Amino acid sequence: NVAVQPNEITRGIAQNILIINADKVWELGYTGEGVVVGHLDTGANYNHLDLQGRMWDGGEEFPHHGYDVYEQNNDPMDTWGHGTHVAGTICGTGAAGTQTGAAPGATLMEVKVFADEPDVESNEFILCEGMQFAMEHGAQVLNMSLGMSGDNQQYRRMMREGCDSMLAAGIVVVSTSGNMGQFQSFLPIPYNAGAPGTCPSPWIH
C-alpha cells in the first residue's frame, strides 16, 4: 500500500450532519440561504475559513459581524472556542476540509454574551439583551447552545419571557435543554432541563 500524504487526504461531510440527513435536505434546495441566524454564545472566530462568507454584514456600525453584549463593544471574537465550534455546526462550509454546518448557506450574526474568561458566568439580563439585539437587527433564528439548570426562578422566568417574546416576533429559538441530565439526582424534574431550553416547557419521559 502507498502511504497517503496529508495534502492528498480529502474530507467530506461530518458524520453528525449525515446522521440528521442534512445533505438530503440540501439536495431539495434548502441550505439556509437567505436566513439570518443570531448566534448567542462566546462569540466566534469570524476569520475562520469555514465561516468566511457566511458572516452577517453589520455595516460600519458592526464591522465584526455582530456585537459583544457582555463587554458592550462591536467585536464578538471568541476566546473560548465553544462559540466557534457551534458556529461551525450551524454553517461551517467545509473550506478548511470538512463540511460541518447543517445550514451552510445561512448567514451568521454573532452576539457574544459571555466574558473572555471561561470561569465568568453570564446572566439573564445579558442574555435577554443579546436576544433583543438579534431581533432588532433582523435575525430570523436564534441559536443558544447555553443554559442554566436549577431552580433559580428569576433566571428561568426571564428566559421564558425573553423566548416567548422572540416566538411572538416570529423568531425560531433553538436552545439546549438536556446538558445536565446526568445530574438527575441533584436536579430533580423539571430543574434538570436548563433554561432557556425550557421554553416551551419540555416533555420529559
Side-chain angles (χ1 to χ4, degrees):
N1 294 334
V2 178
V4 178
Q5 298 302 313
N7 62 357
E8 295 180 286
I9 297 173
T10 57
R11 294 174 289 177
I13 302 172
Q15 183 182 25
N16 58 304
I17 300 301
L18 296 174
I19 288 173
I20 64 172
N21 293 320
D23 56 322
K24 304 231 175 6
V25 177
W26 302 337
E27 291 172 4
L28 298 174
Y30 301 103
T31 64
E33 191 73 36
V35 177
V36 177
V37 179
H39 177 220
L40 278 68
D41 212 299
T42 65
N45 179 2
Y46 43 75
N47 296 320
H48 195 290
L49 282 175
D50 281 342
L51 300 178
Q52 288 181 8
R54 303 279 29 106
M55 302 304 299
W56 175 66
D57 182 359
E60 293 183 5
E61 188 174 6
F62 306 107
H64 300 297
H65 318 290
Y67 191 69
D68 183 339
V69 178
Y70 197 100
E71 299 292 344
Q72 295 291 304
N73 64 52
N74 66 9
D75 190 4
M77 175 57 78
D78 183 17
T79 58
W80 291 32
H82 181 273
T84 302
H85 163 82
V86 174
T89 303
I90 296 170
C91 63
T93 62
T98 301
Q99 189 158 354
T100 58
T107 298
L108 200 67
M109 176 193 296
E110 270 312 310
V111 185
K112 186 172 180 176
V113 291
F114 287 92
D116 287 340
E117 301 78 18
D119 57 344
V120 178
E121 289 190 358
S122 189
N123 61 56
E124 61 272 29
F125 303 102
I126 292 172
L127 295 179
C128 285
E129 186 177 345
M131 287 190 269
Q132 183 79 13
F133 177 89
M135 179 183 71
E136 290 179 352
H137 291 87
Q140 296 148 285
V141 177
L142 292 188
N143 187 93
M144 296 188 285
S145 293
L146 52 84
M148 179 187 292
S149 300
D151 61 356
N152 183 324
Q153 295 303 312
Q154 173 176 288
Y155 179 91
R156 297 177 82 86
R157 182 170 59 254
M158 283 194 69
M159 287 294 92
R160 172 169 288 282
E161 291 176 358
C163 289
D164 279 342
S165 296
M166 295 300 105
L167 293 169
I171 298 172
V172 176
V173 179
V174 181
S175 179
T176 57
S177 65
N179 285 354
M180 300 297 287
Q182 69 270 33
F183 298 112
Q184 180 66 51
S185 58
F186 301 102
L187 298 167
I189 293 172
Y191 301 120
N192 66 320
T198 51
C199 178
S201 297
W203 177 77
I204 302 175
H205 192 283

